[in-house]
Amino acid sequence: MRLLMFKNRLFPVISTFVILLISCGNNTASKSGLSEDHLAVISKDKPPLKKDIVVGANRTEMYLPILKGQRVGIVANQTTVIFHDKIKEKSHDNGSQDKTQEFTHLVDSLLALDIDIKAVFAPEHGFRGTADAGESIKDGVDVKTNLPIISLYGNNKKPKPEQLKNIDIMIFDIQDVGARFYTYISSLHYVMEACAEANIPLLILDRPNPNGHFVDGPILEKEHKSFVGMHPIPIVHGMTIAEYAQMINGEQWLLNGVSCKLSIIDMQHYNHNLSYSLPINPSPNLPNDQAINLYPSLCFFEGTNVSAGRGTPTQFQVYGSPYLNKNVYNFKFTPTPNLGAKHPKYNGQLCFGENLTKTDRLESLRLSYLIKAYNNSVDQASFFNDFFTKLAGTKKLRQQIEQGLSEKDIKASWQAGLTDFKQKRAAYLLYD
C-alpha cells in the first residue's frame, strides 16, 4: 500500500497491521466502541476478492489517521462511497446475473468515525447527483447529516476564502469519466487553486477512469477555454482524477503558477486498460457503461441541433432530431422530461436518428455519428451553435466537417498534438 505525497511530504507514511473498512453490513463490532454498522477490523493479509480494484476511499487505513483531529472539508457527490465485499447477485431467466456491490457514503462513514467534517462542496449535479446538466445548484444543508453544502457550480465555481476558513484539510473524491468537457475536472482545478492560495492540503482518493483505455481528440486551444474545457488536453485524456491533479500542478495551470499540496491515496489492482463498470451513475444522464463509453463521441451533439437522447431512457446511447433525414434514419424517439432532463431538447417532438445501444465498446473517439448527422441534416445552416466550439476546444473541427473532410483526415490533423500530450502525460501516470 502506498500513500503518495507531493510538495514537501505533508504527512508521515502510515503503516498498520489492520485494515479498517467502513461497513453497513452485520460485522462484529470493534473494541473502539463504534457501531457494528460502521466498522469492521480485518487482517491485512486477507486478499481482496478476485483481485478486484480497490478504490482509494476503501483504503481507510491509509487516510483515517491523517484526518483525526483535523477540520475537514470534502468535495463529494453520490459516487463518493466506500464499497463492501458483499456482492448481491440476481439471476435472470436467460442465465445472466446482475451483481450489485454494497456501499456506504463516505461522508456518512467519516461522521460515524468522529471525523470532524465542516462542509461538503458539491460539483455539477449536486451532492446527491440529481440536478440537470447546467442547472444552477444552490447552497443548502444536507437533510441527512445537517452539514452545510456549498455549491461549486454556477456563480461559485471556486471555493471562497471565507468558505475555507474553518478547514484544515480538504478531501476530493468524485468519480470522473475521462472526458475534457465533463466538468468534475474543472471543479478539481478550482478546488486545487483555492486550497493552494489558502495553504490547505488536498487529499485525493483515486477512482478508475472508465474511458482510461485511450487518448483521443483535438487539443483545446487557450482562446476557447471555458468550464467545459480549461486545459490544453485532448477530449479523452486517459487519466484518473489523481493523475490529472498531478498534471495540473506539474504543468502550472493554476492561477499565478501556484501549486497545491497534494496527498494521494492510489488504487490497488488498477491499470488503464481494465474494463471497469461503474456501480453508481456518475450523473443522471450517464445511466450505464454504454452511455459512459459513448459520451465523449456523442457529447458533440450538445453543440448542434441534434439531441443526444436527453429526455429518454437511453441518454447518450441514441441521437436524433426532427431535422435529420427520415429517409436515412429509421430509428425514432420522442424526448420527455425525466430525471436529469427537466426541459430536454425537442421535448414532445418526434426525432429521427440512430440507436447505438448495441454498439461494441469504443477504443477511440468516433466522429462518424457527427459527420453523418451533418451530411443528412435538412437544416445544415442551423446545425452547429456557438457551444460546439467550446466542446471541441477549437474552431477547426466545425470547419473541417463543413468542408467535407473525412473522419480519417480530421483525426490525422490531431496526431501531432496527441503525441506531444502523451509525452507530457507519461510523467504524471500512477498506473500502467
Side-chain angles (χ1 to χ4, degrees):
M1 292 178 287
R2 295 179 294 163
L3 173 61
L4 303 178
M5 301 201 241
F6 306 89
K7 312 308 288 182
N8 69 11
R9 294 194 171 269
L10 179 66
F11 302 115
V13 175
I14 299 163
S15 60
T16 181
F17 289 93
V18 296
I19 297 176
L20 302 178
L21 291 178
I22 312 304
S23 174
C24 65
N26 295 319
N27 297 300
T28 303
S30 76
K31 295 180 180 180
S32 67
L34 291 172
S35 164
E36 64 182 13
D37 290 335
H38 295 285
L39 182 65
V41 180
I42 303 173
S43 166
K44 72 168 185 176
D45 295 322
K46 180 178 179 179
L49 294 180
K50 298 179 181 178
K51 293 290 185 181
D52 286 341
I53 294 170
V54 180
V55 300
N58 265 72
R59 305 186 70 192
T60 53
E61 80 285 0
M62 301 296 290
Y63 63 88
L64 285 180
I66 295 173
L67 301 178
K68 288 291 185 180
Q70 301 292 306
R71 296 172 301 175
V72 178
I74 183 168
V75 183
N77 67 3
Q78 77 285 353
T79 67
T80 308
V81 300
I82 292 177
F83 298 109
H84 313 301
D85 286 349
K86 186 175 181 180
I87 305 291
K88 291 182 177 179
E89 297 189 3
K90 180 180 179 181
S91 297
H92 298 277
D93 293 339
N94 63 4
S96 65
Q97 289 184 324
D98 290 338
K99 293 186 177 182
T100 304
Q101 197 167 25
E102 293 185 349
F103 53 83
T104 305
H105 200 285
L106 180 61
V107 169
D108 300 333
S109 299
L110 292 180
L111 288 173
L113 291 166
D114 294 325
I115 299 300
D116 186 14
I117 299 179
K118 293 297 185 183
V120 174
F121 295 81
E124 184 177 9
H125 305 295
F127 178 43
R128 298 298 178 183
T130 56
D132 281 7
E135 182 178 352
S136 178
I137 306 296
K138 296 181 180 179
D139 294 346
V141 176
D142 180 45
V143 295
K144 182 175 182 179
T145 63
N146 289 321
L147 287 172
I149 298 176
I150 299 170
S151 172
L152 294 182
Y153 197 70
N155 295 325
N156 187 49
K157 295 180 175 66
K158 177 179 175 179
K160 294 179 173 64
E162 59 268 26
Q163 295 168 337
L164 299 175
K165 64 181 180 180
N166 294 322
I167 291 175
D168 299 316
I169 184 171
M170 184 78 82
I171 300 172
F172 193 102
D173 184 18
I174 298 280
Q175 177 63 61
D176 190 45
V177 300
R180 187 181 66 212
F181 32 57
Y182 204 61
T183 60
Y184 296 156
I185 58 173
S186 297
S187 295
L188 172 67
H189 171 107
Y190 283 125
V191 169
M192 289 178 63
E193 195 169 89
C195 285
E197 292 168 349
N199 198 29
I200 294 173
L202 180 64
L203 176 66
I204 296 182
L205 309 182
D206 210 9
R207 293 184 182 271
N209 177 355
N211 286 314
H213 56 294
F214 68 97
V215 175
D216 207 356
I219 304 296
L220 179 134
E221 298 162 353
K222 62 181 180 180
E223 59 266 34
H224 302 300
K225 177 180 175 180
S226 72
F227 197 59
V228 292
M230 297 191 66
H231 307 125
I233 64 168
I235 287 170
V236 186
H237 52 73
M239 305 178 79
T240 68
I241 280 284
E243 292 172 329
Y244 197 81
Q246 292 193 96
M247 193 172 202
I248 289 175
N249 258 354
E251 298 299 312
Q252 297 185 311
W253 288 336
L254 300 179
L255 185 65
N256 298 321
V258 295
S259 186
C260 181
K261 298 175 183 177
L262 290 180
S263 292
I264 291 170
I265 307 298
D266 64 336
M267 292 175 282
Q268 292 178 304
H269 315 307
Y270 173 76
N271 69 67
H272 288 96
N273 292 316
L274 288 177
S275 178
Y276 182 75
S277 179
L278 298 189
I280 301 171
N281 297 346
S283 54
N285 286 292
L286 293 181
N288 53 39
D289 297 341
Q290 187 79 339
I292 291 166
N293 183 235
L294 285 163
Y295 172 74
S297 300
L298 296 191
C299 193
F300 287 122
F301 286 122
E302 302 282 88
T304 73
N305 65 3
V306 176
S307 165
R310 294 185 190 271
T312 77
T314 49
Q315 310 98 313
F316 289 99
Q317 300 155 82
V318 301
Y319 70 88
S321 167
Y323 303 107
L324 293 185
N325 190 334
K326 62 183 178 182
N327 295 318
V328 174
Y329 293 99
N330 56 19
F331 176 72
K332 297 178 288 187
F333 64 89
T334 302
T336 56
N338 65 4
L339 178 65
K342 296 175 183 176
H343 308 284
K345 186 186 294 186
Y346 302 128
N347 183 14
Q349 297 183 55
L350 185 64
C351 295
F352 301 91
E354 191 169 3
N355 183 352
L356 305 174
T357 57
K358 303 300 183 182
T359 302
D360 291 339
R361 185 184 189 221
L362 298 185
E363 305 290 334
S364 64
L365 196 66
R366 188 71 61 83
L367 289 178
S368 57
Y369 312 129
L370 180 65
I371 293 171
K372 179 181 177 181
Y374 175 77
N375 290 338
N376 291 282
S377 175
V378 299
D379 186 14
Q380 286 187 342
S382 301
F383 185 83
F384 293 105
N385 59 49
D386 292 341
F387 190 48
F388 183 84
T389 296
K390 288 185 178 181
L391 291 171
T394 175
K395 289 183 178 179
K396 295 175 184 175
L397 181 56
R398 173 176 175 173
Q399 293 167 350
Q400 289 168 326
I401 293 172
E402 289 175 336
Q403 291 165 6
L405 270 67
S406 68
E407 178 174 24
K408 180 179 179 181
D409 288 340
I410 294 173
K411 298 190 82 168
S413 72
W414 302 343
Q415 294 312 305
L418 287 173
T419 298
D420 181 61
F421 171 77
K422 289 176 182 178
Q423 290 173 346
K424 292 178 180 178
R425 168 181 173 269
Y428 306 108
L429 297 183
L430 300 171
Y431 316 97
D432 295 335

